[in-house]
């Protein structure tokens, strides 16, 4: 029989090893690119795109998954061989499956059955299991069920806002501001991001204050979704008034990580507009990115239009959240869109004219 003290010390040895694996993974990783663009229609405004699709697991959730595993380990909630579970609309599940495999732990993602098929396949390819539920609102309860049977619940929605070190430690805000240092407008006028867990907006909003910058933070949100509904009245009980097909953002409820106080503006973007902007991104950058990146671009263009009206110069920074390949059967498939009553072409044509009026 092993005494509790023996068990403790072997648990601690494994925790130590697992934290070491995560640290080494971070040390091997390069920073993601901050791509620069000028658009003819907006003289004096520099646009920057933080390419979070470049992470090994393909999205900005790579950072979050690393932080959630570290947080669970350092809180003594995750032991050798323990199953791991989380509720996810897809990108987090892929990144968590990636890290679970790195640590040799079994992983289950609880996902809405309507998640993009390629994301489900990606989780399975990484050795993860998918527990698909019909009602997207029931993912949280289902993840808790797994936890009650002994799994460690990484709990992206509950913990995103606190698992990331907001004072720096190469968080996304510190990385962006460091990369801007030599640019003409190193203190951006705006940073634009989406809200899924709220982790990214929380980290950026806090860091801007911590560094004493005047930069304003804008959340780009699918029209009628819960962040927008709640933010206006600081109402944590708000719900989405209509669903969205943009994955990763546009939550049905106010998530625990939505910190309304540090967000200066919420721009609501209709799905067709987000999709047109997603297609536009491919024309601008030569690569495909996901729908939430399009939502971000649409909000950037609105803010840039306001800056132009006031004759302001400066920089606007936003995020490319994940790869477009994940959506080739959905947002990039005209038949799939048509079946949902969406034809982004008229908006795409209008957006081309907005971005480059001379070429139109
Ligand atoms: C999670 C996610 C977001 C939003 O980021 P949060 O930090 O969770 O608010 C945006 N786009 C995609 C594709 C995501 O997966």
């Amino acid at each position: 029989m092993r005494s509790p003290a023996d068990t403790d010390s072997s648990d601690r040895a494994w925790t130590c090893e697992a934290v070491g694996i995560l640290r080494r993974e971070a040390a091997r990783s390069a920073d993601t690119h901050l791509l620069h663009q000028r658009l003819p229609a907006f003289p004096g405004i520099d646009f920057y795109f933080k390419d979070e699709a470049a992470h090994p697991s393909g999205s900005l959730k790579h950072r979050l998954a690393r932080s959630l595993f570290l947080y669970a380990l350092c809180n003594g909630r995750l032991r050798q061989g323990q199953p791991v579970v989380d509720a996810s609309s897809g990108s987090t599940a892929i990144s968590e499956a990636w890290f679970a495999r790195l640590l040799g732990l079994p992983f289950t993602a609880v996902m809405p059955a309507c998640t993009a098929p390629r994301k489900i396949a990606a989780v399975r390819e990484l050795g993860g299991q998918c527990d698909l539920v019909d009602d997207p609102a029931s993912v949280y309860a289902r993840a808790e069920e797994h936890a009650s049977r002994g799994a460690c619940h990484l709990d992206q929605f509950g913990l995103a806002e606190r698992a990331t070190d907001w004072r720096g430690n190469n968080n996304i805000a510190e990385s962006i501001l460091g990369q801007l240092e030599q640019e003409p407008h190193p203190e951006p006028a705006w940073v634009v991001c989406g809200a899924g867990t709220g982790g990214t907006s929380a980290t950026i909003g806090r860091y801007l204050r911590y560094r004493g910058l005047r930069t304003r933070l804008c959340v780009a949100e699918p029209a009628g979704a819960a962040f927008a509904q709640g933010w206006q009245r600081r109402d944590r009980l708000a719900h989405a008034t209509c669903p969205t097909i943009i994955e990763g953002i546009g939550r049905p409820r106010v998530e625990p990580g939505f910190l309304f106080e540090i967000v200066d503006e919420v721009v609501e973007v209709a799905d067709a507009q987000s999709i047109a902007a997603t297609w536009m991104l491919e024309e601008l950058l030569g690569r495909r990115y996901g729908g939430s990146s399009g939502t971000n671009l649409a909000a950037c263009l609105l803010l840039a239009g306001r800056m132009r009206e006031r004759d302001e110069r400066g920089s606007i920074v936003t995020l490319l959240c994940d790869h477009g390949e994940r959506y080739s059967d959905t947002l990039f498939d005209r038949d799939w869109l048509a079946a949902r009553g969406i034809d982004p072409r008229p908006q795409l044509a209008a957006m081309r004219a907005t971005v480059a009026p001379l070429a139109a």
Side-chain angles (χ1 to χ4, degrees):
M1 278 284 293
R2 294 201 308 170
S3 73
D6 288 341
T7 316
D8 264 11
S9 74
S10 80
D11 276 353
R12 280 294 280 273
W14 182 80
T15 302
C16 192
E17 198 183 303
V19 169
I21 289 171
L22 295 179
R23 279 183 181 280
R24 293 203 296 279
E25 186 276 335
R28 288 191 303 272
S29 298
D31 209 342
T32 57
H33 295 293
L34 188 65
L35 307 172
H36 175 228
Q37 280 278 318
R38 283 227 172 89
L39 302 174
F42 300 100
I45 301 180
D46 290 283
F47 295 85
Y48 297 89
F49 299 89
K50 180 73 166 159
D51 188 1
E52 292 292 289
H55 289 291
S57 63
S59 79
L60 80 175
K61 292 303 193 312
H62 197 77
R63 294 178 193 271
L64 176 63
R66 187 195 284 131
S67 298
L68 288 170
F69 271 102
L70 270 175
Y71 196 66
L73 284 164
C74 296
N75 281 288
R77 292 198 298 117
L78 178 55
R79 293 179 316 278
Q80 184 166 21
Q82 189 179 4
V84 176
V85 69
D86 210 351
S88 168
S89 69
S91 296
T92 305
I94 296 170
S95 296
E96 288 172 343
W98 192 93
F99 278 100
R101 189 182 62 171
L102 186 71
L103 294 171
L105 298 170
F107 173 70
T108 301
V110 180
M111 302 169 136
C114 58
T115 303
R118 298 217 169 192
K119 290 194 190 169
I120 296 172
V123 171
R124 294 191 171 136
E125 276 160 31
L126 288 162
Q129 307 235 16
C130 297
D131 182 4
L132 302 177
V133 298
D134 290 327
D135 174 11
S138 69
V139 291
Y140 315 100
R142 185 69 146 256
E144 278 304 324
E145 272 174 43
H146 284 269
S148 70
R149 292 195 296 269
C152 171
H153 184 192
L154 292 175
D155 196 9
Q156 60 158 337
F157 289 106
L159 301 176
E161 153 279 301
R162 70 189 83 157
T164 297
D165 184 346
W166 54 271
R167 280 164 290 200
N169 203 2
N170 197 34
N171 70 32
I172 189 164
E174 184 180 49
S175 164
I176 289 170
L177 291 165
Q179 288 173 315
L180 282 173
E181 253 164 36
Q182 329 247 337
E183 297 299 305
H185 306 286
E187 181 174 351
W190 288 99
V191 177
V192 176
C193 69
T197 64
T200 305
S201 52
T203 302
I204 294 171
R206 285 167 170 161
Y207 192 75
L208 291 173
R209 282 168 182 71
Y210 184 57
R211 287 280 306 271
L213 302 177
R214 287 160 300 175
T215 304
R216 285 161 294 170
L217 175 61
C218 170
V219 163
E221 172 86 330
F227 195 108
Q229 295 298 311
W231 179 77
Q232 290 159 8
R233 283 170 275 109
R234 301 288 193 265
D235 174 8
R236 301 208 66 85
L237 299 175
H239 284 275
T241 56
C242 65
T244 177
I245 59 171
I246 306 301
E247 290 180 33
I249 57 173
R251 301 296 306 164
R253 64 169 202 186
V254 173
E255 301 296 347
F258 286 7
L259 304 190
F260 293 143
E261 292 73 16
I262 52 179
V263 171
D264 301 287
E265 171 95 46
V266 177
V267 169
E268 292 183 68
V269 182
D271 282 2
Q273 184 77 1
S274 289
I275 294 160
T278 305
W279 290 20
M280 181 86 234
L281 271 178
E282 184 181 5
E283 295 182 7
L284 289 175
L285 302 173
R287 296 194 53 184
R288 286 184 171 179
Y289 293 93
S292 65
S293 308
T295 311
N296 286 345
L297 174 63
C300 288
L301 294 177
L302 186 108
L303 297 172
R306 278 197 216 153
M307 285 173 69
R308 184 179 54 193
E309 268 169 33
R310 297 193 210 110
D311 238 356
E312 283 170 26
R313 276 151 207 278
S315 56
I316 301 180
V317 182
T318 195
L319 275 58
L320 301 165
C321 306
D322 65 352
H323 278 300
E325 285 73 50
R326 289 182 177 171
Y327 307 94
S328 45
D329 311 333
T330 58
L331 302 183
F332 289 100
D333 181 337
R334 277 189 201 167
D335 295 335
W336 187 92
L337 290 172
R340 281 150 190 84
I342 296 175
D343 178 2
R345 281 171 300 180
Q347 266 129 321
L348 179 61
M351 205 171 279
R352 283 194 194 113
T354 307
V355 162
L358 299 177

